[in-house]
Amino acid sequence: LNLYQYVLNNPLSQEDDDGHEIIHADGLKNSQLVRDSVTAILANPNTSSYLSGYVGPNNPNLTIQSGDLGPPTVTTLPNGQTLTTTVQGNTAPDIQTSTMTDNNGVRTSETTLTGATITIDNNTSKGDTPGVMIHESVHAGEAQASPAKFSADAKAERGQPHDSRPQEQRANGVRAANEKQIKQQIKQIEKDRKKDQQ
């Protein structure tokens, strides 16, 4: 089973009746562009692994929605300069930790990801949307691959300026390396859709 063939064959509906769950929320801004971005990210061998863990009936769901992520934040650096950061997207994993005790009284804990939500800021432009989706897909992929590590790293990095955090630097690196190719794939998806509509 090719997990992506269904939506590539019918990009107008983007519905997945057999349980492959990347959910596009109602009211999603630039909805078709976000859907096309997801299709391109999944089809690209350099980026597919970040979202593929949310595809399939036994995997956690990923919801993509629009929202207000607030105004830019201004941080004063030790040298006195100010750094203004605008957050265009956010990934919030739903992490569950279960603690078990065996017959000998040994306690172990297991951290699992039950789902995640990507929020794209309402002020994100159409031109920036594919790049934001690539960036947030990296966060979603890291959360899915190792929920405990993702959560611990996010907590440890919270005090650092946003773009200096290792999680953000990794996501920015993947975006920089793949955004041009993903945008080209999106253009091809759009062309194919127009051809199908004629």
Side-chain angles (χ1 to χ4, degrees):
L1 174 65
N2 181 336
L3 298 177
Y4 319 127
Q5 197 64 43
Y6 185 95
V7 290
L8 288 173
N9 282 343
N10 192 352
L12 292 178
S13 76
Q14 291 281 336
E15 294 174 1
D16 194 344
D17 296 329
D18 59 355
H20 305 162
E21 294 294 343
I22 293 181
I23 301 162
H24 299 88
D26 292 339
L28 178 62
K29 187 178 173 189
N30 298 317
S31 177
Q32 189 61 60
L33 178 57
V34 172
R35 292 169 188 267
D36 291 346
S37 297
V38 168
T39 300
I41 289 166
L42 284 168
N44 186 307
N46 299 322
T47 56
S48 63
S49 63
Y50 298 113
L51 291 183
S52 61
Y54 296 94
V55 178
N58 297 319
N59 288 328
N61 292 344
L62 175 66
T63 301
I64 304 171
Q65 65 183 12
S66 295
D68 182 9
L69 296 177
T73 57
V74 179
T75 306
T76 303
L77 301 175
N79 63 7
Q81 291 181 312
T82 58
L83 177 68
T84 303
T85 305
T86 302
V87 178
Q88 294 182 305
N90 181 59
T91 300
D94 186 3
I95 293 172
Q96 173 180 294
T97 302
S98 304
T99 303
M100 296 148 281
T101 305
D102 67 14
N103 292 339
N104 298 321
V106 177
R107 296 183 72 183
T108 57
S109 65
E110 181 180 287
T111 302
T112 56
L113 183 80
T114 58
T117 302
I118 291 175
T119 302
I120 303 172
D121 189 75
N122 288 320
N123 294 316
T124 300
S125 69
K126 284 184 89 167
D128 283 343
T129 295
V132 171
M133 277 305 307
I134 296 166
H135 179 104
E136 297 305 324
S137 294
V138 175
H139 292 320
E142 289 183 352
Q144 198 274 335
S146 182
K149 184 177 186 322
F150 181 85
S151 181
D153 288 351
K155 189 175 181 181
E157 296 170 13
R158 199 169 291 146
Q160 300 177 32
H162 186 268
D163 289 342
S164 298
R165 300 170 188 172
Q167 283 184 340
E168 298 303 324
Q169 291 177 340
R170 287 193 299 273
N172 285 336
V174 173
R175 175 179 178 170
N178 295 285
E179 187 168 7
K180 183 177 179 183
Q181 189 178 15
I182 293 293
K183 284 184 172 182
Q184 289 171 344
Q185 289 175 284
I186 291 168
K187 283 184 182 176
Q188 187 60 52
I189 292 167
E190 290 170 346
K191 278 184 190 175
D192 292 345
R193 183 168 48 250
K194 285 178 183 174
K195 192 184 293 182
D196 289 344
Q197 289 173 341
Q198 292 176 348

